[in-house]
Coordinates of all heavy atoms in Angstrom, one line a residue:
Chain J
G174 N 13.7 -21.6 -15.5 CA 15.1 -21.8 -15.5 C 15.5 -23.0 -16.3 O 16.6 -23.5 -16.2
G175 N 14.5 -23.5 -17.1 CA 14.8 -24.8 -17.8 C 13.6 -25.8 -17.7 O 13.7 -26.9 -18.2
S176 N 12.5 -25.3 -17.1 CA 11.4 -26.2 -16.7 C 10.7 -26.8 -17.9 O 9.9 -27.7 -17.6 CB 10.5 -25.5 -15.8 OG 11.0 -25.5 -14.5
I177 N 10.9 -26.3 -19.1 CA 10.3 -27.0 -20.2 C 11.4 -27.8 -20.9 O 11.3 -29.0 -21.2 CB 9.7 -26.0 -21.3 CG1 8.4 -25.4 -20.7 CG2 9.5 -26.7 -22.6 CD1 7.9 -24.3 -21.6
R178 N 12.6 -27.2 -21.1 CA 13.6 -27.8 -21.9 C 14.2 -29.0 -21.2 O 14.5 -30.0 -21.9 CB 14.7 -26.7 -22.1 CG 14.3 -25.6 -23.1 CD 15.2 -24.4 -22.9 NE 14.9 -23.7 -21.7 CZ 15.7 -22.9 -21.1 NH1 16.9 -22.7 -21.6 NH2 15.4 -22.3 -20.0
Q179 N 14.5 -29.0 -19.9 CA 15.1 -30.1 -19.2 C 14.2 -31.3 -19.2 O 14.6 -32.4 -19.6 CB 15.6 -29.6 -17.9 CG 16.4 -30.7 -17.1 CD 15.6 -31.2 -16.0 OE1 14.3 -31.2 -16.1 NE2 16.2 -31.5 -14.9
P180 N 12.9 -31.2 -18.8 CA 12.1 -32.4 -18.9 C 11.9 -32.9 -20.3 O 11.8 -34.1 -20.6 CB 10.7 -32.0 -18.3 CG 10.8 -30.5 -18.1 CD 12.2 -30.1 -18.1
A181 N 11.8 -32.0 -21.3 CA 11.7 -32.4 -22.7 C 12.9 -33.3 -23.0 O 12.8 -34.3 -23.7 CB 11.6 -31.2 -23.6
S182 N 14.1 -32.8 -22.6 CA 15.3 -33.6 -22.8 C 15.3 -35.0 -22.2 O 15.6 -36.0 -22.8 CB 16.5 -32.7 -22.3 OG 17.6 -33.5 -22.1
Y183 N 14.9 -35.0 -20.9 CA 14.8 -36.3 -20.2 C 13.8 -37.3 -20.8 O 13.9 -38.5 -20.6 CB 14.5 -36.1 -18.7 CG 15.6 -35.5 -17.9 CD1 15.4 -35.3 -16.5 CD2 16.9 -35.3 -18.4 CE1 16.4 -34.7 -15.7 CE2 17.9 -34.7 -17.6 CZ 17.7 -34.5 -16.3 OH 18.7 -34.0 -15.5
C184 N 12.8 -36.7 -21.5 CA 11.7 -37.6 -22.0 C 11.7 -37.7 -23.5 O 10.8 -38.2 -24.1 CB 10.4 -37.0 -21.5 SG 10.1 -37.2 -19.7
G185 N 12.7 -37.2 -24.2 CA 12.8 -37.3 -25.6 C 11.9 -36.5 -26.4 O 11.4 -36.9 -27.5
L186 N 11.5 -35.3 -25.9 CA 10.6 -34.4 -26.6 C 11.3 -33.2 -27.2 O 12.4 -32.8 -26.8 CB 9.5 -34.0 -25.7 CG 8.7 -35.1 -25.0 CD1 7.7 -34.5 -24.0 CD2 7.9 -35.9 -26.1
T187 N 10.6 -32.5 -28.0 CA 11.0 -31.2 -28.5 C 10.2 -30.1 -27.7 O 9.0 -30.2 -27.7 CB 10.7 -31.0 -30.0 OG1 11.4 -32.1 -30.7 CG2 11.3 -29.7 -30.5
G188 N 10.9 -29.3 -27.0 CA 10.2 -28.3 -26.2 C 10.9 -26.9 -26.4 O 12.0 -26.8 -26.7
M189 N 10.1 -25.9 -26.1 CA 10.7 -24.5 -26.3 C 10.3 -23.5 -25.2 O 9.1 -23.5 -24.8 CB 10.2 -24.0 -27.6 CG 10.7 -22.7 -28.0 SD 11.4 -22.8 -29.6 CE 12.0 -21.2 -29.9
K190 N 11.3 -22.8 -24.8 CA 11.0 -21.6 -24.0 C 11.1 -20.4 -24.9 O 12.2 -20.1 -25.4 CB 12.1 -21.5 -22.9 CG 11.8 -20.6 -21.7 CD 12.2 -19.2 -21.8 CE 13.2 -18.4 -22.2 NZ 13.0 -17.0 -22.1
P191 N 10.0 -19.7 -25.2 CA 10.1 -18.6 -26.1 C 10.7 -17.4 -25.6 O 11.0 -17.3 -24.4 CB 8.6 -18.4 -26.4 CG 7.8 -19.4 -25.7 CD 8.7 -20.0 -24.6
T192 N 11.0 -16.5 -26.4 CA 11.5 -15.1 -26.0 C 10.6 -14.6 -25.0 O 9.4 -14.6 -25.1 CB 11.5 -14.2 -27.3 OG1 12.3 -14.8 -28.3 CG2 12.1 -12.8 -26.9
Y193 N 11.2 -14.0 -23.9 CA 10.5 -13.4 -22.8 C 9.5 -12.3 -23.4 O 10.0 -11.5 -24.2 CB 11.4 -12.8 -21.8 CG 10.6 -12.3 -20.6 CD1 10.2 -13.1 -19.6 CD2 10.3 -10.9 -20.5 CE1 9.5 -12.7 -18.5 CE2 9.6 -10.4 -19.4 CZ 9.2 -11.3 -18.4 OH 8.5 -10.8 -17.3
G194 N 8.3 -12.4 -23.0 CA 7.3 -11.3 -23.4 C 6.6 -11.7 -24.6 O 5.7 -10.9 -25.0
T195 N 6.9 -12.8 -25.3 CA 6.1 -13.2 -26.5 C 4.9 -14.0 -26.2 O 4.0 -14.2 -27.0 CB 7.0 -13.9 -27.5 OG1 7.5 -15.1 -26.9 CG2 8.2 -13.0 -28.0
V196 N 4.8 -14.6 -25.0 CA 3.6 -15.4 -24.6 C 3.1 -14.7 -23.3 O 3.9 -14.5 -22.4 CB 3.9 -16.8 -24.3 CG1 2.7 -17.6 -23.8 CG2 4.5 -17.5 -25.5
S197 N 1.9 -14.3 -23.3 CA 1.3 -13.6 -22.1 C 1.4 -14.5 -20.8 O 1.2 -15.7 -20.8 CB -0.2 -13.3 -22.3 OG -0.7 -12.8 -21.1
R198 N 1.8 -13.8 -19.7 CA 1.9 -14.5 -18.5 C 0.6 -14.3 -17.7 O 0.5 -14.8 -16.5 CB 3.1 -14.0 -17.6 CG 4.4 -14.3 -18.2 CD 5.6 -13.8 -17.3 NE 5.6 -12.4 -17.2 CZ 5.4 -11.7 -16.1 NH1 5.1 -12.3 -15.0 NH2 5.4 -10.4 -16.1
Y199 N -0.4 -13.6 -18.2 CA -1.6 -13.4 -17.5 C -2.3 -14.8 -17.2 O -2.6 -15.5 -18.1 CB -2.6 -12.5 -18.3 CG -3.7 -12.1 -17.4 CD1 -3.7 -11.0 -16.6 CD2 -4.9 -12.9 -17.3 CE1 -4.7 -10.7 -15.7 CE2 -5.9 -12.6 -16.4 CZ -5.8 -11.4 -15.6 OH -6.8 -11.1 -14.8
G200 N -2.4 -15.1 -15.9 CA -3.0 -16.4 -15.5 C -2.0 -17.5 -15.3 O -2.4 -18.6 -14.9
L201 N -0.7 -17.2 -15.5 CA 0.3 -18.1 -15.1 C 0.7 -17.8 -13.7 O 1.0 -16.6 -13.4 CB 1.5 -18.0 -16.0 CG 2.8 -18.7 -15.5 CD1 2.6 -20.2 -15.5 CD2 4.0 -18.3 -16.3
V202 N 0.5 -18.7 -12.8 CA 0.8 -18.4 -11.4 C 2.3 -18.2 -11.3 O 3.1 -19.0 -11.6 CB 0.4 -19.6 -10.4 CG1 0.7 -19.2 -9.0 CG2 -1.1 -19.9 -10.6
A203 N 2.7 -17.0 -10.8 CA 4.0 -16.5 -11.0 C 5.0 -17.2 -10.0 O 4.7 -17.4 -8.8 CB 4.1 -15.0 -10.7
Y204 N 6.1 -17.6 -10.5 CA 7.2 -18.1 -9.7 C 8.2 -17.0 -9.7 O 8.4 -16.3 -8.7 CB 7.8 -19.4 -10.3 CG 9.2 -19.8 -9.9 CD1 9.8 -19.3 -8.8 CD2 9.9 -20.8 -10.7 CE1 11.1 -19.7 -8.5 CE2 11.2 -21.2 -10.3 CZ 11.8 -20.6 -9.2 OH 13.1 -21.0 -8.9
A205 N 8.9 -16.7 -10.8 CA 9.8 -15.6 -10.9 C 9.4 -14.8 -12.1 O 9.7 -15.1 -13.2 CB 11.2 -16.0 -11.0
S206 N 8.7 -13.7 -11.9 CA 8.0 -12.9 -12.9 C 8.9 -12.5 -14.1 O 8.5 -12.5 -15.2 CB 7.4 -11.7 -12.3 OG 6.7 -12.0 -11.1
S207 N 10.2 -12.2 -13.8 CA 11.0 -11.6 -14.8 C 11.6 -12.8 -15.7 O 12.3 -12.5 -16.7 CB 12.1 -10.8 -14.2 OG 13.1 -11.6 -13.6
L208 N 11.4 -14.0 -15.3 CA 12.0 -15.2 -16.0 C 11.0 -16.1 -16.5 O 11.3 -16.9 -17.5 CB 12.9 -15.9 -15.0 CG 14.0 -15.1 -14.2 CD1 14.6 -15.9 -13.1 CD2 15.1 -14.6 -15.2
D209 N 9.8 -16.2 -15.9 CA 8.8 -17.1 -16.3 C 8.3 -16.9 -17.8 O 8.1 -15.8 -18.2 CB 7.5 -16.9 -15.5 CG 7.6 -17.2 -14.0 OD1 8.6 -17.9 -13.7 OD2 6.8 -16.8 -13.2
Q210 N 8.2 -18.0 -18.5 CA 7.6 -17.9 -19.8 C 6.9 -19.3 -20.1 O 7.4 -20.3 -19.8 CB 8.7 -17.6 -20.8 CG 8.3 -17.0 -22.1 CD 7.5 -15.7 -22.1 OE1 7.1 -15.2 -23.1 NE2 7.2 -15.1 -20.9
I211 N 5.7 -19.2 -20.7 CA 5.0 -20.4 -21.1 C 5.5 -20.9 -22.4 O 5.8 -20.1 -23.3 CB 3.5 -20.0 -21.1 CG1 3.0 -19.7 -19.7 CG2 2.7 -21.2 -21.8 CD1 1.5 -19.2 -19.6
G212 N 5.4 -22.2 -22.6 CA 5.9 -22.7 -23.9 C 5.4 -24.2 -24.1 O 4.8 -24.8 -23.2
P213 N 5.6 -24.7 -25.3 CA 5.1 -26.1 -25.6 C 6.1 -27.2 -25.4 O 7.3 -27.0 -25.5 CB 4.8 -25.9 -27.1 CG 5.9 -25.0 -27.6 CD 6.2 -24.1 -26.5
L214 N 5.6 -28.4 -25.1 CA 6.3 -29.6 -25.1 C 5.6 -30.5 -26.2 O 4.4 -30.8 -26.0 CB 6.4 -30.3 -23.8 CG 7.1 -29.6 -22.7 CD1 6.1 -28.7 -21.8 CD2 7.9 -30.5 -21.8
C215 N 6.4 -31.0 -27.2 CA 5.8 -31.6 -28.3 C 6.6 -32.8 -28.8 O 7.7 -33.0 -28.3 CB 5.7 -30.6 -29.5 SG 4.7 -29.2 -29.1
R216 N 6.1 -33.5 -29.8 CA 6.8 -34.6 -30.3 C 7.9 -34.3 -31.3 O 8.9 -35.0 -31.5 CB 5.8 -35.6 -30.9 CG 4.9 -36.2 -29.8 CD 4.0 -37.2 -30.3 NE 3.1 -37.6 -29.2 CZ 2.0 -38.4 -29.4 NH1 1.8 -39.0 -30.6 NH2 1.2 -38.6 -28.4
D217 N 7.7 -33.1 -32.0 CA 8.7 -32.7 -32.9 C 8.7 -31.2 -33.1 O 7.8 -30.5 -32.5 CB 8.7 -33.4 -34.3 CG 7.4 -33.2 -35.0 OD1 6.7 -32.1 -34.7 OD2 7.0 -33.9 -35.9
A218 N 9.6 -30.7 -33.9 CA 9.8 -29.2 -34.1 C 8.6 -28.6 -34.8 O 8.2 -27.5 -34.5 CB 11.1 -28.9 -34.8
A219 N 8.0 -29.4 -35.7 CA 6.8 -28.8 -36.5 C 5.7 -28.6 -35.5 O 5.0 -27.6 -35.6 CB 6.5 -29.7 -37.6
D220 N 5.4 -29.6 -34.6 CA 4.3 -29.4 -33.7 C 4.6 -28.2 -32.8 O 3.7 -27.4 -32.5 CB 4.2 -30.7 -32.8 CG 3.4 -31.8 -33.4 OD1 3.0 -31.6 -34.6 OD2 3.2 -32.8 -32.8
C221 N 5.9 -28.1 -32.4 CA 6.3 -27.0 -31.5 C 6.0 -25.6 -32.2 O 5.5 -24.7 -31.6 CB 7.8 -27.1 -31.3 SG 8.2 -27.2 -29.6
A222 N 6.3 -25.6 -33.5 CA 6.0 -24.3 -34.2 C 4.5 -24.0 -34.3 O 4.1 -22.9 -34.1 CB 6.6 -24.5 -35.7
A223 N 3.7 -25.1 -34.5 CA 2.3 -24.9 -34.6 C 1.7 -24.4 -33.3 O 0.9 -23.5 -33.2 CB 1.6 -26.2 -35.1
V224 N 2.2 -25.0 -32.2 CA 1.6 -24.6 -30.9 C 2.1 -23.2 -30.5 O 1.3 -22.4 -30.0 CB 2.1 -25.6 -29.8 CG1 1.5 -25.2 -28.4 CG2 1.6 -27.1 -30.1
L225 N 3.3 -22.9 -30.8 CA 3.8 -21.5 -30.5 C 3.1 -20.5 -31.3 O 2.8 -19.4 -30.8 CB 5.3 -21.4 -30.8 CG 6.2 -21.7 -29.6 CD1 7.7 -21.7 -30.1 CD2 6.0 -20.7 -28.6
D226 N 2.7 -20.8 -32.6 CA 1.9 -19.9 -33.3 C 0.6 -19.6 -32.6 O 0.0 -18.5 -32.8 CB 1.6 -20.5 -34.7 CG 2.7 -20.3 -35.7 OD1 3.6 -19.4 -35.4 OD2 2.8 -21.0 -36.7
V227 N 0.1 -20.5 -31.9 CA -1.1 -20.3 -31.1 C -0.8 -19.5 -29.8 O -1.6 -18.5 -29.5 CB -1.8 -21.6 -30.7 CG1 -3.0 -21.4 -29.8 CG2 -2.3 -22.4 -32.0
L228 N 0.2 -19.9 -29.1 CA 0.5 -19.3 -27.8 C 1.0 -17.8 -27.9 O 0.6 -17.0 -27.0 CB 1.5 -20.1 -27.1 CG 1.2 -21.6 -26.7 CD1 2.4 -22.2 -26.0 CD2 0.0 -21.7 -25.9
Q229 N 1.8 -17.6 -28.9 CA 2.5 -16.2 -28.9 C 1.5 -15.2 -29.4 O 0.7 -15.4 -30.2 CB 3.7 -16.3 -29.8 CG 4.8 -17.1 -29.2 CD 6.1 -17.0 -30.0 OE1 6.1 -17.0 -31.3 NE2 7.2 -16.8 -29.4
G230 N 1.7 -14.0 -28.8 CA 0.9 -12.8 -29.3 C 0.8 -11.8 -28.2 O 1.0 -12.1 -27.0
H231 N 0.5 -10.6 -28.6 CA 0.5 -9.5 -27.6 C -0.8 -9.6 -26.7 O -1.8 -10.0 -27.2 CB 0.5 -8.2 -28.4 CG 0.6 -7.0 -27.5 ND1 -0.4 -5.9 -27.5 CD2 1.4 -6.7 -26.4 CE1 -0.1 -5.0 -26.6 NE2 1.0 -5.4 -25.9
D232 N -0.6 -9.2 -25.4 CA -1.7 -9.2 -24.5 C -1.7 -8.0 -23.6 O -0.7 -7.8 -22.9 CB -1.7 -10.5 -23.6 CG -2.8 -10.5 -22.7 OD1 -3.8 -9.8 -22.8 OD2 -2.8 -11.4 -21.7
R233 N -2.7 -7.2 -23.7 CA -2.7 -5.9 -22.9 C -2.8 -6.1 -21.4 O -2.5 -5.2 -20.6 CB -3.9 -5.0 -23.3 CG -3.7 -4.5 -24.7 CD -4.9 -3.6 -25.1 NE -4.6 -3.1 -26.5 CZ -3.8 -2.2 -26.8 NH1 -3.1 -1.5 -25.8 NH2 -3.6 -1.8 -28.0
R234 N -3.1 -7.3 -21.0 CA -3.2 -7.6 -19.5 C -1.9 -7.9 -18.9 O -1.7 -8.0 -17.7 CB -4.2 -8.7 -19.3 CG -5.6 -8.4 -19.6 CD -6.5 -9.6 -19.6 NE -6.0 -10.5 -20.7 CZ -6.6 -11.7 -21.0 NH1 -7.6 -12.1 -20.2 NH2 -6.2 -12.4 -21.9
D235 N -0.8 -8.1 -19.7 CA 0.5 -8.4 -19.2 C 1.4 -7.2 -19.7 O 1.7 -7.1 -20.9 CB 1.0 -9.7 -19.8 CG 2.4 -10.0 -19.5 OD1 3.1 -9.2 -18.8 OD2 2.9 -11.1 -19.8
A236 N 1.8 -6.4 -18.8 CA 2.6 -5.2 -19.2 C 4.0 -5.5 -19.8 O 4.6 -4.7 -20.4 CB 2.7 -4.2 -18.0
T237 N 4.4 -6.8 -19.6 CA 5.7 -7.2 -20.1 C 5.5 -7.9 -21.5 O 6.5 -8.4 -22.0 CB 6.5 -8.1 -19.2 OG1 5.7 -9.3 -18.9 CG2 6.8 -7.4 -17.9
S238 N 4.3 -8.0 -21.9 CA 4.0 -8.6 -23.2 C 4.5 -7.7 -24.4 O 4.3 -6.5 -24.4 CB 2.5 -8.9 -23.3 OG 2.1 -9.2 -24.6
L239 N 5.2 -8.3 -25.3 CA 5.8 -7.5 -26.4 C 4.8 -7.4 -27.5 O 4.2 -8.4 -28.0 CB 7.0 -8.2 -26.9 CG 8.2 -8.2 -25.9 CD1 9.3 -9.2 -26.4 CD2 8.7 -6.9 -25.7
P240 N 4.6 -6.2 -28.0 CA 3.7 -6.0 -29.2 C 4.2 -6.7 -30.4 O 5.4 -6.8 -30.6 CB 3.6 -4.5 -29.4 CG 4.6 -3.9 -28.4 CD 5.3 -4.9 -27.6

Side-chain angles (χ1 to χ4, degrees):
Chain J
S176 281
I177 288 174
R178 290 160 287 157
Q179 185 253 32
S182 164
Y183 286 178
C184 292
L186 301 176
T187 305
M189 182 128 177
K190 195 269 326 174
T192 303
Y193 185 80
T195 60
V196 179
S197 171
R198 291 184 296 116
Y199 190 88
L201 168 67
V202 183
Y204 158 22
S206 314
S207 71
L208 308 167
D209 294 342
Q210 202 58 184
I211 291 172
L214 293 96
C215 299
R216 296 187 186 172
D217 65 18
D220 280 3
C221 240
V224 178
L225 267 175
D226 278 340
V227 174
L228 298 179
Q229 289 187 316
H231 183 233
D232 180 14
R233 292 183 179 281
R234 291 167 298 181
D235 175 359
T237 61
S238 166
L239 295 168

